[in-house]
Amino acid sequence: MNWIILIIAGLFEIGFTTCLKLSNNFSNVKWSVGFFICIMFSFLLLNKASQTLPMGTAYAVWTGIGAVGTVMIGIIYFNEPATFWRLFFICTLIGSIAGLKFFASHS
């Protein structure tokens, strides 16, 4: 269950980074409120998940989900470049996240 909570926390991290971009330096109230809501839930859920998961693993998975998701949002919605090397390293990050999850449950 805590892995699901951690994944949801990572999704809220994607939400707060996207809201941060759309808030236009916190001048757009709607996206600024979204940022604060998402960051609050992201940290609360990370805290909950890290009560039973190893902190280093939880933090690495949380930031990895946020990083991969934020890059994908940037490519899809903000027309950021999707170069070979950028996608290659995103794939290696996904593999690292999966490895952390796999080996955390087998140690």
Side-chain angles (χ1 to χ4, degrees), residues 10-22 31 65-82 86-87 90:
L11 295 175
F12 274 109
E13 185 183 5
I14 297 166
F16 80 70
T17 56
T18 304
C19 287
L20 182 63
K21 168 88 172 163
L22 294 170
W31 291 110
I65 292 169
V68 169
T70 301
V71 168
M72 298 311 296
I73 293 291
I75 290 169
I76 294 166
Y77 293 105
F78 298 114
N79 298 316
E80 295 177 359
R86 194 166 192 212
L87 296 176
I90 288 297

Side-chain angles (χ1 to χ4, degrees), residues 6 9-10 14 20-21 60-61 70 80-81 83 93-96 106-107:
L6 184 60
I14 297 166
L20 182 63
K21 168 88 172 163
V61 170
T70 301
E80 295 177 359
T83 64
L93 184 54
I94 292 168
S96 297
H106 289 91
S107 51

Side-chain angles (χ1 to χ4, degrees), residues 23-39:
S23 76
N24 195 26
N25 202 26
F26 297 111
S27 64
N28 183 308
V29 174
K30 175 179 77 170
W31 291 110
S32 299
V33 169
F35 167 82
F36 288 110
I37 290 170
C38 286
I39 202 166

